[in-house]
C-alpha cells in the first residue's frame, strides 16, 4: 500500500518530462484549453511542484530551447565560414531528428507561431543565440552591423521554423537555409 507523502517534502520531478507531457497535452487539446493544473495532473505532480520548475505556461513550450541555448551555453561559431554562410553551415550541421523529435518540434513551433505571448516568452533563448551570432558577425562587420545582422538572422531562423512547422514537403534545414540565403542575397 502506498504511503501518503509527508507534508513539506518536495516532490522529485523531471522538468524535461513535465514539458514533454505539456506539449502532448497542447497538441491533443490546444494550447489555450490546457491549464497548469492539467499539466500537473498529467505529470503526476502537485501544482506547487510544477510552479517550482515553470513560472508560466509558456515556459513549458520553450523548455527544450532553454535547455539548448541557455543552460547548455551559447552556440560556438568558431570553425565555420565568416558571415551568414557560417550561420547557414552551423544550422545545417545540427544533429538529425528522429520522427518523434520532429513531431514535437513541429508542435512547439506551431504553438509559438500561433500565440504572441508564447513567442515573446522565448526572448531569453533567442537573445543567447543572437549574442553568439553577433560575436560571429563582428569578425567581418562593424559593431552596429553585427547587431543588425544577428537580429535579422535569428528572426529568419525563427520565422522559417514556424513556417516549416505547418508544411509537410520541406525539411527544417532546407527552410532555414532558404530563409538565410534570401537574407544573405537581400530582400529587394
Amino acid at each position: 500500500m502506498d504511503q501518503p507523502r509527508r507534508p513539506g517534502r518536495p516532490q522529485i520531478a523531471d522538468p524535461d518530462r513535465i514539458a514533454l507531457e505539456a506539449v502532448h497535452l497542447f497538441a491533443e487539446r490546444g494550447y489555450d484549453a490546457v491549464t497548469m493544473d492539467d499539466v500537473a495532473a498529467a505529470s503526476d505532480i502537485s501544482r506547487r511542484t510544477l510552479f517550482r520548475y515553470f513560472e508560466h505556461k509558456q515556459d513549458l513550450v520553450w523548455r527544450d530551447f532553454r535547455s539548448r541555448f541557455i543552460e547548455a551555453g551559447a552556440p560556438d561559431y568558431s570553425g565555420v565560414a565568416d558571415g551568414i554562410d557560417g550561420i547557414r553551415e552551423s544550422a545545417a550541421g545540427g544533429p538529425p531528428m528522429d520522427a518523434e523529435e520532429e513531431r514535437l518540434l513541429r508542435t512547439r513551433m506551431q504553438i509559438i507561431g500561433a500565440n504572441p505571448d508564447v513567442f515573446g516568452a522565448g526572448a531569453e533563448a533567442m537573445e543567447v543565440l543572437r549574442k553568439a551570432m553577433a560575436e560571429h558577425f563582428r569578425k567581418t562587420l562593424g559593431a552596429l552591423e553585427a547587431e543588425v545582422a544577428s537580429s535579422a538572422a535569428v528572426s529568419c531562423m525563427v520565422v522559417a521554423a514556424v513556417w516549416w512547422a505547418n508544411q509537410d514537403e520541406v525539411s527544417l534545414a532546407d527552410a532555414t537555409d532558404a530563409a538565410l540565403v534570401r537574407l544573405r542575397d537581400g530582400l529587394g
Side-chain angles (χ1 to χ4, degrees):
M1 179 176 208
D2 287 335
Q3 296 278 335
R5 275 190 349 97
R6 294 189 329 204
R9 287 197 68 175
Q11 287 179 304
I12 297 173
D14 177 359
D16 292 328
R17 186 186 66 77
I18 295 166
L20 183 63
E21 188 65 47
V23 170
H24 287 302
L25 286 174
F26 299 151
E28 180 183 308
R29 300 184 200 166
Y31 177 81
D32 292 330
V34 175
T35 66
M36 292 294 268
D37 287 333
D38 295 333
V39 173
S43 300
D44 200 29
I45 59 172
S46 70
R47 178 179 168 85
R48 184 177 186 169
T49 298
L50 176 63
F51 279 100
R52 186 177 306 127
Y53 294 98
F54 300 97
E55 189 175 345
H56 304 286
K57 188 165 82 166
Q58 304 95 307
D59 298 336
L60 292 157
V61 178
W62 283 98
R63 171 65 188 173
D64 185 54
F65 302 101
R66 290 182 59 79
S67 296
R68 188 175 309 157
F69 294 124
I70 297 170
E71 295 166 14
D76 180 10
Y77 292 108
S78 62
V80 299
D82 288 342
I84 198 87
D85 287 329
I87 302 299
R88 290 178 54 223
E89 180 184 327
S90 180
M97 289 184 281
D98 65 29
E100 177 63 9
E101 289 171 320
E102 183 175 320
R103 188 184 69 72
L104 288 169
L105 181 57
R106 280 185 191 275
T107 301
R108 282 185 169 108
M109 295 314 300
Q110 288 167 348
I111 294 166
I112 289 166
N115 297 278
D117 289 340
V118 178
F119 186 93
E124 185 181 11
M126 287 187 275
E127 181 62 7
V128 170
L129 180 59
R130 190 203 65 74
K131 283 181 178 179
M133 284 185 189
E135 264 318 297
H136 171 74
F137 283 121
R138 279 190 196 93
K139 294 183 221 170
T140 57
L141 299 174
L144 175 60
E145 292 87 356
E147 295 294 315
V148 170
S150 63
S151 293
V154 169
S155 294
C156 275
M157 293 172 77
V158 172
V159 168
V162 168
W163 179 84
W164 160 82
N166 295 293
Q167 308 300 313
D168 291 326
E169 301 83 34
V170 65
S171 71
L172 176 58
D174 288 345
T176 301
D177 193 59
L180 291 171
V181 164
R182 189 68 175 136
L183 176 64
R184 181 197 67 197
D185 294 346
L187 301 174

